[in-house]
Amino acid sequence: MQGPCSIRVAAGTAALAALCAALPAAPSAAGSGAGDPPPRLKQYYDQRVTWHPCDSEAAPRDLQCGAVTVPLDYARPDRGSLRLALARLRSTGDRPRGSLVLNFGGPGGEGVGRLAMAGKDFMPLAKGYDVVAFDPRGVGRSSPVTCGEAAYSGSPGQGRDDGRRDAREEGASPGQVADGDPHPYLRRLREIAEACAASSGPVLEHMGTVDAARDMDVIRHALGDRRLNYLGFSYGTRLGAVYAARFPHRVGRFVLDGVDTLTDSPVEQARAGAAGQQAALERFLTWCVRDIACPFGRDARTAPRQVERLVGMLDARPAPSAAGRGFTGQDLVAALGQALYSRALWPQLERGVADLVEYGDPRGLQGFTQGAFSPPVFHRERPRRSRQHVPLDNAPAALLAVNCADAPERPSARRIAAELGAMRASYEKASPVFGRYRLAEALMCYGRPRGTDFVRERVHDLRSPRMLLVGTRGDPATPYRWTVETARRLGPAAVVLDNKGEGHTGYGSSRCVQRAVEAFLLLGELKSGSCPAEEPGPDV
């Protein structure tokens, strides 16, 4: 299970803005020709999106917002519905092909706000498409899930008056799961799962990727498209693959960038993520030590040990923080993990660590941790609501909900206790810095209902048109081997582009990848190949 791994189309960590109000979609005229819906779902397919100006002063003028209605439970569509928030940039071309739907990753990543913030990065694609993004079910303005007040105290309904937990309290530190009896930690995870279920309502039971893929088919039809054209990043590649397995005859031009695994268990995913982050950290340190101001010294061989020492010191004695809670070593690990997504963020990361080391000031790093997954995630702040009425814990709460819904494994407490020593050793071997953090993450589905087998058992040997898979060799979140393994699993439909660069995903960071993606989506030109590592800008 991976942490929030989404495309970084722009440096910086400002909160997403310009979320749009979701309004009911108007019925469509009969006979749209966009596909024949199942009779029991006709009322959901028989709609069109009504576009309107976005309800935010921060939204770009050319951004429009709307919504579609989908069933809460596709097996029982009469049991209620959800409204999914959408946004689009209108095509600038004379003869658009229809719509191109984006998913920026996560799971738990908003689409409407990200398109509002970074829409300019996708304007080349608007020459051929209306570029559309959406908040998946349970995310953003689409019935957002939350874990509520009870998840932020020592146990549901109890805890400190101010809602804070010290990093060294039982069950609060990710390191504690690796240091002894795991049962207190597991009890805490079960309490969190119960709090999430109580606070989120019925949508939490229907948060998996299979449901999200079916939502995308309703969106496709409501947009008036016979086939879905799609660009998915990171987790969005899992979503795209599930859609292609479920609706192979409705696949248009598909690009999957930063390819997720379809087969690894949460334990295997987190261990692979730890190894990928460690390799990315070492490449960052090799760059950093060339600068006399590098806070980890001037020797790339000893710099990793300096990082480990700093993490340990902060776990033992957190740095003071204006938020009222100390900045711990695991907070530093979370910040490192987020900043390593893009080489463009390396200078900002170097300055942030330098301020922490020299002045005890963590503010330069705290921006990286906003929205980052931090096991057990609920020791930070209570889930206040933003001005757009989205709980501040929505991203990590949705991340867990989707990943757990997609994973059938639920090992017992006895099995976890028996295997923990070997797991700890393998994780620390994969990464002395990220290992314990990712080990705690791997156990986060404990106490939740068993997930589906669909992703593991049904997503293979696609009968869809060919699609482009982009894998980046230096990707810290989705290892390149996942691209190779997923392509092999999907069969002849998968065409691989080997990007030899750095960072998470290729579009937006590699000119070569961008050209290949646009050639396929706009012109239909698809071929395998590779892209060289590109030299970074003068600051990197």
Side-chain angles (χ1 to χ4, degrees):
M1 185 185 306
Q2 63 200 54
C5 52
S6 56
I7 184 174
R8 294 286 179 146
V9 293
T13 54
L16 296 180
L19 299 179
C20 301
L23 297 181
S28 69
S32 68
D36 297 324
R40 62 193 175 87
L41 298 177
K42 186 176 185 302
Q43 63 173 313
Y44 295 104
Y45 277 82
D46 191 23
Q47 61 180 309
R48 277 285 189 270
V49 182
T50 298
W51 297 105
H52 57 85
C54 293
D55 186 20
S56 172
E57 294 180 358
R61 286 186 176 182
D62 53 353
L63 192 74
Q64 297 177 314
C65 287
V68 296
T69 303
V70 297
L72 172 68
D73 182 353
Y74 278 91
R76 299 179 178 179
D78 58 340
R79 286 196 152 191
S81 62
L82 305 170
R83 293 190 303 175
L84 305 183
L86 280 71
R88 76 169 176 181
L89 294 171
R90 291 295 303 273
S91 173
T92 59
D94 296 331
R95 301 178 64 183
R97 291 179 44 83
S99 301
L100 175 70
V101 175
L102 307 182
N103 181 281
F104 296 100
E110 299 174 7
V112 172
R114 183 62 64 87
L115 187 62
M117 182 177 70
K120 65 180 184 299
D121 295 288
F122 300 95
M123 290 310 295
L125 298 173
K127 295 176 182 177
Y129 300 93
D130 290 339
V131 178
V132 177
F134 68 103
D135 289 351
R137 56 174 57 209
V139 175
R141 294 300 298 269
S142 299
S143 301
V145 295
T146 176
C147 292
E149 294 283 332
Y152 292 77
S153 56
S155 60
Q158 299 179 353
R160 295 181 178 181
D161 290 340
D162 63 359
R164 296 193 303 271
R165 290 171 59 83
D166 187 274
R168 290 162 289 184
E169 286 186 59
E170 180 180 89
S173 170
Q176 290 207 6
V177 70
D179 288 337
D181 180 7
H183 290 88
Y185 185 84
L186 297 179
R187 285 196 297 271
R188 175 68 181 141
L189 293 183
R190 187 177 293 279
E191 292 169 352
I192 291 171
E194 292 170 353
C196 297
S199 300
S200 295
V203 67
L204 190 68
E205 299 177 15
H206 305 281
M207 282 284 291
T209 300
V210 174
D211 284 312
R214 300 192 73 171
D215 291 343
M216 283 210 303
D217 199 54
V218 174
I219 291 171
R220 171 199 63 79
H221 196 282
L223 294 171
D225 292 332
R226 184 177 296 276
R227 293 177 180 267
L228 177 69
N229 300 302
Y230 179 76
L231 173 56
F233 300 98
S234 194
Y235 161 75
T237 67
R238 188 198 314 172
L239 177 58
V242 170
Y243 181 93
R246 182 68 178 77
F247 304 102
H249 56 294
R250 295 175 186 164
V251 169
R253 294 178 182 175
F254 262 46
V255 176
L256 310 181
D257 185 358
V259 182
D260 201 356
T261 179
L262 299 175
T263 56
D264 283 3
S265 70
V267 169
E268 293 164 336
Q269 289 182 48
R271 184 165 46 227
Q277 288 178 308
Q278 184 71 26
L281 174 64
E282 291 172 5
R283 290 190 291 271
F284 161 74
L285 293 173
T286 298
W287 167 83
C288 182
V289 297
R290 299 171 187 164
D291 183 359
I292 194 172
C294 179
F296 299 114
R298 302 298 305 281
D299 189 340
R301 294 169 298 179
T302 60
R305 287 291 302 159
Q306 297 299 322
V307 178
E308 295 169 39
R309 288 183 58 194
L310 182 57
V311 169
M313 290 170 57
L314 289 169
D315 274 337
R317 188 174 182 179
S321 169
R325 176 186 167 274
F327 187 85
T328 70
Q330 298 309 307
D331 291 327
L332 174 60
V333 172
L336 290 169
Q338 291 293 296
L340 292 173
Y341 273 15
S342 171
R343 287 195 68 160
L345 299 175
W346 287 6
Q348 184 180 344
L349 175 61
E350 180 187 20
R351 290 191 297 269
V353 175
D355 287 344
L356 176 65
V357 170
E358 294 179 23
Y359 308 112
D361 183 0
R363 288 177 296 177
L365 296 171
Q366 286 175 318
F368 289 117
T369 65
Q370 297 301 313
F373 179 89
S374 183
V377 94
F378 304 111
H379 67 275
R380 292 183 173 274
E381 305 179 50
R382 293 179 182 272
R384 303 186 312 275
R385 288 182 175 267
S386 67
R387 289 191 302 174
Q388 294 82 19
H389 308 295
V390 178
L392 293 183
D393 73 328
N394 175 237
L399 170 80
L400 286 177
V402 175
N403 279 336
C404 294
D406 287 356
E409 298 88 355
R410 292 296 184 272
S412 66
R414 177 179 297 181
R415 178 179 172 185
I416 291 172
E419 298 178 356
L420 188 59
M423 290 173 62
R424 178 181 65 241
S426 69
Y427 272 68
E428 292 182 348
K429 181 179 180 181
S431 173
V433 173
F434 297 97
R436 289 191 174 191
Y437 183 91
R438 300 305 292 261
L439 173 57
E441 178 185 341
L443 302 178
M444 287 298 294
C445 291
Y446 181 82
R448 293 173 181 252
R450 185 181 185 276
T452 181
D453 291 317
F454 187 94
V455 178
R456 307 277 179 83
E457 301 296 331
R458 302 281 296 278
V459 185
H460 60 83
D461 301 315
L462 297 183
R463 294 175 289 111
S464 69
R466 294 198 305 164
M467 60 182 64
L468 180 63
L469 276 61
V470 180
T472 298
R473 294 280 179 161
D475 194 320
T478 50
Y480 181 76
R481 73 170 177 85
W482 285 355
T483 301
V484 176
E485 292 169 357
T486 298
R488 186 180 303 121
R489 183 172 180 81
L490 297 183
V495 176
V496 173
L497 178 63
D498 179 358
N499 176 28
K500 301 183 185 299
E502 296 283 341
H504 184 38
T505 73
Y507 189 88
S509 62
S510 164
R511 292 182 295 273
C512 173
V513 170
Q514 185 165 336
R515 286 193 296 267
V517 169
E518 291 168 2
F520 174 46
L521 291 176
L522 297 174
L523 305 175
E525 299 175 0
L526 176 61
K527 59 183 179 180
S528 60
S530 65
C531 284
E534 297 182 4
E535 289 298 318
D539 293 334
V540 183

